[in-house]
């Protein structure tokens, strides 16, 4: 029995380490922030957003996978909660719209033309209810690509917090300039990408998910 004791101790040590690592990975991080959004008609509004993710993406990532999101615009009592990342929040004729990533881009793009944008368009019905609509019923050439995408930092101190201003988003994303400066001589951010323009410029349409 003495001969095997070091092996037993090593196995116990490994098991304890694995348990510690799994426990560390099982927690969640939650962040909340406010965000300026420039609508297609020139109005600047402030929305509230929330994101939850696993605390760690062990063994390779500093942050874990996204778990849940929330978006709230108090002035219209608009609220959305789900698991899909969001790209655009817009208001047309007093109705709120939200563009979110589909659960599977290949499934979204099935039987769609190559130019189709692999995003689901949600239309607010009131009282927390949303309905998915066809992209043909959403003005994707007028809607701005509006929502901040860099909310998770490499560490908690770099996460989104407080108010994310439109100017701050412009400094990071440079709508739609490809080089500095991202602001004009009056320090006004350049115009944002339009919804279709963003996905066609990057490019990220259904053509990327369909076999030639």
């Amino acid at each position: 029995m003495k001969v095997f004791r070091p092996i037993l101790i090593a196995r116990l040590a490994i098991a304890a380490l694995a348990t510690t690592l799994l426990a560390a990975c099982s927690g969640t991080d939650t962040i909340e922030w406010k965000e300026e959004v420039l609508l297609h008609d020139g109005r600047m509004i402030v929305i509230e957003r929330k994101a939850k993710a696993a605390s760690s993406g062990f063994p390779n990532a500093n942050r874990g996978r996204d778990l849940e999101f929330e978006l709230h615009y108090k002035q219209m009592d608009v609220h959305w909660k789900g698991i899909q990342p969001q790209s655009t929040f817009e208001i047309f004729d007093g109705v709120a719209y939200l563009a979110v990533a589909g659960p599977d881009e290949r499934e979204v793009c099935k039987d769609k033309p190559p130019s189709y944008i692999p995003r689901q368009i949600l239309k607010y019905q009131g009282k927390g209810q949303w309905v998915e609509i066809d992209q043909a019923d959403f003005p994707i050439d007028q809607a701005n690509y509006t929502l901040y995408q860099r909310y998770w930092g490499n560490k908690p101190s770099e996460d989104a917090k407080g108010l994310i201003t439109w100017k701050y988003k412009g400094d990071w994303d440079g709508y739609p300039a490809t080089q500095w400066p991202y602001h004009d001589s009056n320090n006004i951010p350049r115009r944002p990408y339009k919804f279709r323009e963003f996905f066609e410029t990057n490019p990220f349409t259904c053509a990327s998910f369909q076999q030639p």
Side-chain angles (χ1 to χ4, degrees):
M1 293 296 294
K2 291 183 180 181
V3 175
F4 296 102
R5 184 168 295 173
I7 297 177
L8 177 61
I9 293 174
R11 287 178 176 175
L12 290 174
I14 292 173
L17 177 60
T19 300
T20 301
L21 290 173
L22 287 173
C25 294
S26 62
T28 59
D29 289 336
T30 300
I31 56 174
E32 299 182 46
W33 70 99
K34 295 183 178 180
E35 180 175 334
E36 288 186 335
V37 170
L38 181 64
L39 301 178
H40 72 285
D41 57 9
R43 287 182 294 158
M44 186 76 75
I45 65 172
V46 176
I47 63 173
E48 298 176 5
R49 298 179 67 190
K50 183 177 181 179
K52 180 186 294 185
S55 296
S56 171
F58 176 82
N60 297 317
N62 291 328
R63 308 303 291 269
R65 64 183 180 87
D66 290 324
L67 300 174
E68 188 176 78
F69 300 97
E70 289 188 54
L71 183 150
H72 191 200
Y73 179 45
K74 288 184 177 179
Q75 281 72 7
M76 291 178 56
D77 196 25
V78 171
H79 182 258
W80 174 85
K81 184 176 182 179
I83 62 174
Q84 299 153 286
Q86 314 96 64
S87 54
T88 289
F89 178 80
E90 264 285 9
I91 300 173
F92 288 93
D93 298 324
V95 179
Y97 296 84
L98 182 66
V100 301
D104 184 341
E105 279 85 0
R106 293 186 183 277
E107 186 66 27
V108 171
C109 290
K110 186 181 296 184
D111 301 324
K112 295 291 193 301
S115 60
Y116 195 86
I117 309 301
R119 288 294 180 267
Q120 295 176 309
I121 307 299
L122 307 180
K123 181 179 181 180
Y124 192 58
Q125 303 291 291
K127 298 183 179 180
Q129 300 300 311
W130 297 80
V131 62
E132 183 177 357
I133 63 172
D134 191 272
Q135 286 185 15
D137 298 321
F138 177 67
I140 61 176
D141 293 312
Q142 298 179 47
N144 287 340
Y145 184 84
T146 55
L147 296 181
Y148 187 54
Q149 304 297 314
R150 303 172 188 267
Y151 39 86
W152 292 119
N154 288 322
K155 50 187 177 181
S157 62
E158 298 174 352
D159 293 342
K161 62 179 71 68
L163 175 66
I164 303 298
T165 65
W166 186 258
K167 181 180 181 301
Y168 181 83
K169 291 195 287 187
D171 285 338
W172 275 103
D173 300 325
Y175 332 107
T178 57
Q179 59 186 3
W180 295 95
Y182 289 153
H183 294 75
D184 64 19
S185 59
N186 296 316
N187 202 36
I188 297 176
R190 297 174 187 261
R191 70 168 180 84
Y193 282 105
K194 295 300 181 181
F195 184 75
R196 185 200 295 275
E197 178 187 28
F198 175 84
F199 288 96
E200 290 184 345
T201 299
N202 280 279
F204 194 78
T205 64
C206 279
S208 303
F209 300 96
Q210 295 170 339
Q211 295 296 326

